[in-house]
């Protein structure tokens, strides 16, 4: 029962830490480090929650989560999982329910992850087919696809074999050449670092718990941090003011992007935060601060996983 209590405490702690992290300002100073912290909290929450349920349910074996699962699999292979065998086992109704809930939660999270991936792939495939029909190349903008649409939009469609950066005709009207180059650099940063894969687990959590507004808020927070990561990469190649001006022009025109794409602009409030950060950059995280956050994330994951092997 000790491992169940400790894993439960970690799960609750992850939720509390996520709530504090969302309200903190330091992630804007180090978005890459903050994204890793968010990934660690999300993964640790899932592993600890499932582990706590299994540790409680498999306590009669006295072999921890990993050993208990192996023992359960051996019993299932030898005696089956019939109601008669369950009634004759040392498991009480609460423990049986905990094991079933753990397997159900695991299946839910896995299915939502797969469903989110499949949906994004299908949406991008349809959009690429549309771009093939109505999009065009421009020698003046190598590596970008021009979409003849009056709305101002700039986004990318990541892919395994082929990725697209799409610029609308409306965006070409409102951006000068320097601003356009900054936007394209931003989108290429998304593609190089596969930010779509970073967002996928949070998208699946939002799908798994659609009634929880906190999951939507967490998804939005990570999305903003990812945009800031791309901003930081873009301003290594272009002026921060060029990108900030482009974002403001997009905001004035109400820029949008299709589902499955990573856009230079999203929520208006987030755009304002990014513009302020570009024009008034504060001090980034020091190496000591970054190491402290990354070390805490690694320790959290190591502790959570080690508790699965605690034979109590």
């Amino acid at each position: 029962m000790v491992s169940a209590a400790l894993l439960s405490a970690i799960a609750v702690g992850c939720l509390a830490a996520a709530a504090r992290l969302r309200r903190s300002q330091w992630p804007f100073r180090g978005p890459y480090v903050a994204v890793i912290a968010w990934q660690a909290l999300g993964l640790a929450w899932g592993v600890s929650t499932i582990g706590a349920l299994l540790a409680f349910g498999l306590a009669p074996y006295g072999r921890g989560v990993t050993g208990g699962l192996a023992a359960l699999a051996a019993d299932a292979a030898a005696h089956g999982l019939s109601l008669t065998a369950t009634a004759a086992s040392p498991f009480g109704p609460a423990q049986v329910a905990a094991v079933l809930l753990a397997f159900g939660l695991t299946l839910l999270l896995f299915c939502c992850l797969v469903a989110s991936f499949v949906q994004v792939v299908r949406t991008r495939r349809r959009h690429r087919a549309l771009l093939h029909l109505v999009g065009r190349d421009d020698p003046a903008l190598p590596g970008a696809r021009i979409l003849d649409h009056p709305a101002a939009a700039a986004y990318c469609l990541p892919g395994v074999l082929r990725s697209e950066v799409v610029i609308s005709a409306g965006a070409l009207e409102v951006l000068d050449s320097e601003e356009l180059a900054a936007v394209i650099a931003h989108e290429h940063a998304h593609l190089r670092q596969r930010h779509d894969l970073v967002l996928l687990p949070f998208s699946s959590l939002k799908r798994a718990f659609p009634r929880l507004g906190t999951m939507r808020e967490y998804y939005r927070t990570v999305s903003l941090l990812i945009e800031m990561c791309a901003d930081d990469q873009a301003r290594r190649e272009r002026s921060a003011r060029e990108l900030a001006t482009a974002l403001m022009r997009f905001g004035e025109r109400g820029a949008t992007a299709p589902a499955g794409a990573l856009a230079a602009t999203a929520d208006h409030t987030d755009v304002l935060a990014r513009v302020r950060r570009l024009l008034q950059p504060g001090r980034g995280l020091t190496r000591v601060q970054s190491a402290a956050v990354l070390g805490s994330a690694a320790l959290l994951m190591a502790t959570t996983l080690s508790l699965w092997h605690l034979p109590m």
Side-chain angles (χ1 to χ4, degrees):
M1 292 297 184
V2 174
S3 57
L6 292 175
L7 286 167
S8 298
I10 289 177
V12 174
C14 286
L15 294 177
R20 289 196 300 270
L21 184 58
R22 188 174 71 85
R23 296 191 299 267
S24 300
Q25 292 300 313
W26 72 260
F28 291 177
R29 298 168 52 201
Y32 283 100
V33 175
V35 168
I36 294 175
W38 273 108
Q39 290 176 314
L41 285 175
L43 184 58
W45 173 82
V47 173
S48 60
T49 300
I50 294 170
L53 291 169
L54 290 174
F56 174 76
L58 301 175
Y61 287 122
R63 298 169 57 181
V65 177
T66 305
L69 285 173
L72 180 63
D75 283 350
H79 308 293
L81 293 175
S82 64
L83 292 177
T84 302
T86 302
S89 71
F91 295 94
Q95 291 166 321
V96 173
V99 172
L100 292 177
L101 185 58
F103 282 111
L105 179 58
T106 303
L107 184 62
L108 172 66
L109 294 176
F110 176 76
C111 289
C112 287
L113 181 63
V114 172
S116 296
F117 178 77
V118 171
Q119 181 184 27
V120 168
V121 169
R122 288 178 176 175
T123 301
R124 289 174 183 165
R125 185 180 300 158
R126 289 194 297 266
H127 194 74
R128 284 195 183 92
L130 178 64
L131 284 174
H132 182 73
L133 295 175
V134 301
R136 57 182 173 85
D137 295 324
D138 189 337
L141 293 175
R145 190 84 167 161
I146 309 303
L147 183 63
D148 289 320
H149 196 281
Y155 56 89
C156 63
L157 292 171
V160 177
L161 299 178
R162 182 183 178 186
S163 299
E164 301 270 10
V165 173
V166 182
I167 307 293
S168 72
L172 296 179
E173 293 179 0
V174 301
L175 301 179
D176 61 28
S177 58
E178 289 78 13
E179 294 164 352
L180 186 59
V183 168
I184 292 177
H186 172 97
E187 299 303 333
H188 279 301
H190 280 316
L191 295 177
R192 285 195 305 270
Q193 300 180 1
R194 291 311 305 262
H195 289 158
D196 57 311
L197 299 181
V198 178
L199 269 178
L200 186 61
F202 298 94
S203 176
S204 65
L205 282 175
K206 186 175 63 170
R207 177 187 291 267
F209 306 102
R211 295 179 181 271
L212 293 181
T214 53
M215 292 301 176
R216 292 191 295 272
E217 288 297 322
Y218 293 163
Y219 175 84
R220 175 183 166 184
T221 299
V222 177
S223 297
L224 175 57
L225 290 173
I226 284 176
E227 292 299 330
M228 289 180 175
C229 289
D231 289 343
D232 288 349
Q233 287 295 314
R235 66 181 180 181
R236 292 181 180 179
E237 304 175 21
R238 310 295 307 185
S239 164
R241 184 169 293 275
E242 293 171 357
L243 181 57
T245 305
L247 292 175
M248 289 188 288
R249 294 188 191 279
F250 277 132
E252 292 173 356
R253 295 287 294 267
T256 59
L262 291 175
T265 56
D267 184 88
H268 181 66
T269 304
D270 294 347
V271 170
L272 291 178
R274 290 167 57 197
V275 169
R276 285 195 298 269
R277 182 174 179 270
L278 286 167
L279 296 180
Q280 300 174 349
R283 294 177 56 189
L285 295 180
T286 65
R287 292 185 178 181
V288 174
Q289 291 170 329
S290 298
V293 175
L294 296 177
S296 298
L299 180 62
L300 174 63
M301 288 308 307
T303 303
T304 303
L305 294 174
S306 66
L307 288 175
W308 274 56
H309 302 278
L310 186 66
M312 299 178 72

